Amino acid sequence: MTHPFLDLPPLSAAHFAAIEDRVARLLDTRQDVVIMQGEALLPLEGAIRATAGPETVALNVITGPYGQTFGNWLRDCGATVIDLAVPFHTAVTAARIREAFAEHPEIDFVSLVHAEAATGNTNPVAEIGEAVREQGALFYLDAVASVGAEPVLPDAWGVDLCVIGAQKAMGGPAGVSAVSVSERAWARMAANPRAPRRSYLSLLDWKERWVDGGRKALLHAPAQLEMLALEACVERIEADGLDTVMRRHRTAALATRAGAVALGGGLTPYVHEESDAAPVATTLRVPAGVVASELVAEALASDGTLPLAAGGGALSGEMIRVNHYGLDATVRAVQSSLAAIGAGLAEQGLTVDLEAARRAAESAWR
């Protein structure tokens, strides 16, 4: 028996390279783009381990859980880490970055998450990138959640290592990811004796055996189905237009925020300022006495297709996340999510206005 997904000719090196080129165009970058054969944690960790060591002094910005993870990896590499943490309901500013540089002029590495889907905030990378360039530090950016939902411009922003994944706003697969690498970053890796070699984490392997070889021979058998899915989702973005896709995500965020406020019942946006809210997902704070994880579980029991999740860890009791990304960046997904949340609040005796929430979301969409 044959199967249309399994009985495919091997993915050629030329086809693989062509997909990398399309991802590079999506990022408007002339840097080398390497598509790695795993979820985005692979290049996120690989990029840190390739460029950080005992001589590194890193400013690690924490606006959510991933920033905490990056700090742990940096310390494991022997780096001196200066954590800059801000409340999860807000964003970091370029002024705070400059203050950190003034206090620690030895900083030579900055790690930052662009949009934190887990907490619903987004950081002003263009302004922060300007501050990092003034310092001359290497700039590492997690743009996994933001790509496709808002601009991601490594070259214009001075980002040396920009990691993206396709599983959120791009509406693609989780099994492959990509990183754009500047010449400065490659040089830092080459000078780092602790950079992984002959390892699945190794970016230098890709540099020496793939990029420098003219992209003629792959390091190992590619994840063919995931690569084809990545190509398909990039094609879809190209067909719709990146600006259109980003506008759809921003509108979904505005609609969710407006609908939640109109819904009432004590539900409020978790991120205080609209300008700090990420287009990829909206986080909402439940009223006192309501357990967010229980509310979400009830909603999903009635409709498992809703793009809802409770906050992670300590936030599971107080935060609901509406994941309006990819194919769920629609007014219907937003309205259905708000209706389910409202029904759950009403069952607990709270006063909600489902029709007002529906109208507010629809109005924001126009």
Side-chain angles (χ1 to χ4, degrees):
M1 295 179 65
T2 61
H3 194 286
F5 290 145
L6 301 179
D7 302 309
L8 296 171
L11 188 73
S12 68
H15 194 172
F16 192 105
I19 298 172
E20 283 185 334
D21 291 341
R22 296 177 84 160
V23 172
R25 287 194 293 272
L26 184 70
L27 299 176
D28 195 22
T29 183
R30 301 182 71 177
Q31 297 178 4
D32 292 322
V33 170
V34 176
I35 298 178
M36 299 192 76
Q37 304 297 279
E39 199 270 339
L41 282 173
L42 175 62
L44 285 170
E45 182 175 358
I48 282 180
R49 295 197 182 278
T51 53
E55 304 301 318
T56 303
V57 180
L59 176 64
N60 180 51
V61 183
I62 301 175
T63 58
Y66 281 102
Q68 295 169 330
T69 297
F70 301 158
N72 293 337
W73 287 338
L74 286 161
R75 290 183 178 89
D76 192 50
C77 291
T80 299
V81 181
I82 299 155
D83 286 326
L84 172 56
V86 302
F88 290 176
H89 63 258
T90 187
V92 73
T93 64
R96 291 290 304 276
I97 302 295
R98 288 190 172 94
E99 289 171 6
F101 288 156
E103 293 175 13
H104 302 278
E106 68 275 21
I107 290 170
D108 64 355
F109 185 101
V110 176
S111 53
L112 175 72
V113 178
H114 187 184
E116 287 270 11
T119 51
N121 56 33
T122 192
N123 293 299
V125 182
E127 298 168 17
I128 292 169
E130 184 177 346
V132 174
R133 282 197 300 273
E134 294 168 2
Q135 178 75 2
L138 202 74
F139 193 9
Y140 162 100
L141 183 70
D142 171 355
V144 174
S146 55
V147 64
E150 54 187 309
V152 176
L153 302 168
D155 292 10
W157 296 345
V159 179
D160 295 289
L161 295 157
C162 182
V163 177
I164 67 167
Q167 69 267 33
K168 289 188 168 64
M170 288 178 66
V176 289
S177 48
V179 54
S180 66
V181 187
S182 72
E183 289 301 323
R184 290 200 322 151
W186 284 131
R188 178 81 70 100
M189 294 180 207
N192 181 11
R194 294 193 175 200
R197 297 292 187 103
R198 300 300 180 263
S199 163
Y200 205 60
L201 283 172
S202 178
L203 280 167
L204 279 175
D205 287 358
W206 283 96
K207 166 68 170 171
E208 295 171 357
R209 298 168 59 193
W210 172 246
V211 177
D212 292 349
R215 299 191 299 176
K216 301 296 185 183
L218 289 160
L219 276 64
H220 46 72
Q224 173 152 312
L225 295 180
E226 288 80 1
M227 287 296 295
L228 295 176
L230 174 62
E231 181 179 43
C233 86
V234 173
E235 285 178 350
R236 187 164 57 194
I237 292 171
E238 291 171 346
D240 290 346
L242 180 58
D243 288 343
T244 298
V245 175
M246 291 191 295
R247 185 164 54 250
R248 193 158 59 228
H249 283 84
R250 170 55 64 187
T251 303
L254 294 173
T256 305
R257 193 176 185 91
V261 171
L263 180 64
L267 194 69
T268 58
Y270 185 85
V271 177
H272 294 181
E273 299 296 328
E274 184 179 292
S275 58
D276 294 338
V280 70
T282 297
T283 46
L284 304 170
R285 189 185 297 276
V286 299
V290 175
V291 179
S293 58
E294 295 177 359
L295 194 64
V296 169
E298 292 173 3
L300 293 177
S302 62
D303 184 354
T305 67
L306 293 172
L308 294 176
L315 298 174
S316 64
E318 65 184 43
M319 178 195 288
I320 292 175
R321 190 170 75 240
V322 183
N323 295 317
H324 44 66
Y325 52 69
L327 297 182
D328 285 319
T330 66
V331 67
R332 180 180 177 185
V334 169
Q335 290 176 327
S336 297
S337 297
L338 292 172
I341 294 169
L345 292 174
E347 287 180 6
Q348 298 194 37
L350 296 167
T351 301
V352 296
D353 192 334
L354 297 176
E355 179 59 23
R358 187 195 66 78
R359 289 199 307 268
E362 187 173 2
S363 178
W365 211 270
R366 293 171 182 168

PDB file of all heavy atoms in Angstrom, residues 190-202:
ATOM      1  N   ALA A 190      33.046  30.596  16.551  1.00  0.00           N
ATOM      2  CA  ALA A 190      34.324  30.028  16.138  1.00  0.00           C
ATOM      3  C   ALA A 190      35.398  30.235  17.191  1.00  0.00           C
ATOM      4  O   ALA A 190      36.319  29.409  17.332  1.00  0.00           O
ATOM      5  CB  ALA A 190      34.758  30.645  14.805  1.00  0.00           C
ATOM      6  N   ALA A 191      35.282  31.323  17.942  1.00  0.00           N
ATOM      7  CA  ALA A 191      36.276  31.635  18.978  1.00  0.00           C
ATOM      8  C   ALA A 191      35.958  30.990  20.318  1.00  0.00           C
ATOM      9  O   ALA A 191      36.740  31.108  21.259  1.00  0.00           O
ATOM     10  CB  ALA A 191      36.374  33.153  19.145  1.00  0.00           C
ATOM     11  N   ASN A 192      34.818  30.314  20.405  1.00  0.00           N
ATOM     12  CA  ASN A 192      34.377  29.735  21.676  1.00  0.00           C
ATOM     13  C   ASN A 192      34.769  28.256  21.735  1.00  0.00           C
ATOM     14  O   ASN A 192      34.174  27.423  21.046  1.00  0.00           O
ATOM     15  CB  ASN A 192      32.859  29.871  21.811  1.00  0.00           C
ATOM     16  CG  ASN A 192      32.329  29.302  23.122  1.00  0.00           C
ATOM     17  OD1 ASN A 192      33.105  28.978  24.030  1.00  0.00           O
ATOM     18  ND2 ASN A 192      31.015  29.201  23.228  1.00  0.00           N
ATOM     19  N   PRO A 193      35.753  27.890  22.554  1.00  0.00           N
ATOM     20  CA  PRO A 193      36.166  26.479  22.609  1.00  0.00           C
ATOM     21  C   PRO A 193      35.094  25.556  23.162  1.00  0.00           C
ATOM     22  O   PRO A 193      35.187  24.334  22.987  1.00  0.00           O
ATOM     23  CB  PRO A 193      37.402  26.514  23.519  1.00  0.00           C
ATOM     24  CG  PRO A 193      37.236  27.745  24.355  1.00  0.00           C
ATOM     25  CD  PRO A 193      36.533  28.735  23.474  1.00  0.00           C
ATOM     26  N   ARG A 194      34.088  26.141  23.820  1.00  0.00           N
ATOM     27  CA  ARG A 194      33.026  25.318  24.398  1.00  0.00           C
ATOM     28  C   ARG A 194      31.830  25.167  23.464  1.00  0.00           C
ATOM     29  O   ARG A 194      30.859  24.497  23.813  1.00  0.00           O
ATOM     30  CB  ARG A 194      32.550  25.931  25.714  1.00  0.00           C
ATOM     31  CG  ARG A 194      33.606  25.927  26.812  1.00  0.00           C
ATOM     32  CD  ARG A 194      32.967  26.254  28.143  1.00  0.00           C
ATOM     33  NE  ARG A 194      33.909  26.147  29.240  1.00  0.00           N
ATOM     34  CZ  ARG A 194      33.567  26.006  30.510  1.00  0.00           C
ATOM     35  NH1 ARG A 194      32.284  25.962  30.839  1.00  0.00           N
ATOM     36  NH2 ARG A 194      34.486  25.918  31.449  1.00  0.00           N
ATOM     37  N   ALA A 195      31.876  25.783  22.303  1.00  0.00           N
ATOM     38  CA  ALA A 195      30.758  25.663  21.369  1.00  0.00           C
ATOM     39  C   ALA A 195      30.570  24.205  20.982  1.00  0.00           C
ATOM     40  O   ALA A 195      31.545  23.515  20.677  1.00  0.00           O
ATOM     41  CB  ALA A 195      31.011  26.507  20.130  1.00  0.00           C
ATOM     42  N   PRO A 196      29.337  23.695  20.988  1.00  0.00           N
ATOM     43  CA  PRO A 196      29.120  22.288  20.634  1.00  0.00           C
ATOM     44  C   PRO A 196      29.623  21.966  19.234  1.00  0.00           C
ATOM     45  O   PRO A 196      29.445  22.749  18.296  1.00  0.00           O
ATOM     46  CB  PRO A 196      27.594  22.134  20.726  1.00  0.00           C
ATOM     47  CG  PRO A 196      27.152  23.222  21.648  1.00  0.00           C
ATOM     48  CD  PRO A 196      28.085  24.365  21.389  1.00  0.00           C
ATOM     49  N   ARG A 197      30.260  20.809  19.100  1.00  0.00           N
ATOM     50  CA  ARG A 197      30.708  20.294  17.812  1.00  0.00           C
ATOM     51  C   ARG A 197      30.257  18.846  17.698  1.00  0.00           C
ATOM     52  O   ARG A 197      30.179  18.132  18.693  1.00  0.00           O
ATOM     53  CB  ARG A 197      32.239  20.351  17.696  1.00  0.00           C
ATOM     54  CG  ARG A 197      32.851  21.748  17.739  1.00  0.00           C
ATOM     55  CD  ARG A 197      32.499  22.570  16.522  1.00  0.00           C
ATOM     56  NE  ARG A 197      33.199  23.838  16.481  1.00  0.00           N
ATOM     57  CZ  ARG A 197      34.255  24.082  15.704  1.00  0.00           C
ATOM     58  NH1 ARG A 197      34.726  23.132  14.918  1.00  0.00           N
ATOM     59  NH2 ARG A 197      34.840  25.265  15.704  1.00  0.00           N
ATOM     60  N   ARG A 198      29.989  18.410  16.462  1.00  0.00           N
ATOM     61  CA  ARG A 198      29.502  17.053  16.219  1.00  0.00           C
ATOM     62  C   ARG A 198      28.357  16.725  17.175  1.00  0.00           C
ATOM     63  O   ARG A 198      28.339  15.692  17.828  1.00  0.00           O
ATOM     64  CB  ARG A 198      30.653  16.042  16.364  1.00  0.00           C
ATOM     65  CG  ARG A 198      31.800  16.268  15.404  1.00  0.00           C
ATOM     66  CD  ARG A 198      31.329  16.179  13.946  1.00  0.00           C
ATOM     67  NE  ARG A 198      32.444  16.390  13.005  1.00  0.00           N
ATOM     68  CZ  ARG A 198      32.727  17.537  12.416  1.00  0.00           C
ATOM     69  NH1 ARG A 198      31.978  18.608  12.670  1.00  0.00           N
ATOM     70  NH2 ARG A 198      33.713  17.647  11.561  1.00  0.00           N
ATOM     71  N   SER A 199      27.439  17.655  17.242  1.00  0.00           N
ATOM     72  CA  SER A 199      26.320  17.556  18.189  1.00  0.00           C
ATOM     73  C   SER A 199      25.058  18.037  17.511  1.00  0.00           C
ATOM     74  O   SER A 199      25.104  18.903  16.624  1.00  0.00           O
ATOM     75  CB  SER A 199      26.618  18.415  19.425  1.00  0.00           C
ATOM     76  OG  SER A 199      25.440  18.662  20.180  1.00  0.00           O
ATOM     77  N   TYR A 200      23.919  17.512  17.942  1.00  0.00           N
ATOM     78  CA  TYR A 200      22.641  17.970  17.394  1.00  0.00           C
ATOM     79  C   TYR A 200      22.398  19.435  17.732  1.00  0.00           C
ATOM     80  O   TYR A 200      21.649  20.124  17.054  1.00  0.00           O
ATOM     81  CB  TYR A 200      21.510  17.096  17.953  1.00  0.00           C
ATOM     82  CG  TYR A 200      20.284  17.042  17.072  1.00  0.00           C
ATOM     83  CD1 TYR A 200      20.369  16.555  15.772  1.00  0.00           C
ATOM     84  CD2 TYR A 200      19.044  17.446  17.531  1.00  0.00           C
ATOM     85  CE1 TYR A 200      19.249  16.494  14.942  1.00  0.00           C
ATOM     86  CE2 TYR A 200      17.914  17.390  16.722  1.00  0.00           C
ATOM     87  CZ  TYR A 200      18.031  16.912  15.435  1.00  0.00           C
ATOM     88  OH  TYR A 200      16.918  16.849  14.619  1.00  0.00           O
ATOM     89  N   LEU A 201      23.053  19.919  18.812  1.00  0.00           N
ATOM     90  CA  LEU A 201      22.929  21.322  19.208  1.00  0.00           C
ATOM     91  C   LEU A 201      23.834  22.250  18.405  1.00  0.00           C
ATOM     92  O   LEU A 201      23.726  23.462  18.521  1.00  0.00           O
ATOM     93  CB  LEU A 201      23.277  21.483  20.688  1.00  0.00           C
ATOM     94  CG  LEU A 201      22.254  21.057  21.727  1.00  0.00           C
ATOM     95  CD1 LEU A 201      22.860  21.101  23.115  1.00  0.00           C
ATOM     96  CD2 LEU A 201      21.008  21.932  21.663  1.00  0.00           C
ATOM     97  N   SER A 202      24.727  21.686  17.610  1.00  0.00           N
ATOM     98  CA  SER A 202      25.795  22.488  17.036  1.00  0.00           C
ATOM     99  C   SER A 202      25.366  23.326  15.837  1.00  0.00           C
ATOM    100  O   SER A 202      24.999  22.795  14.788  1.00  0.00           O
ATOM    101  CB  SER A 202      26.947  21.585  16.610  1.00  0.00           C
ATOM    102  OG  SER A 202      27.970  22.359  16.004  1.00  0.00           O
TER     103      SER A 202
END
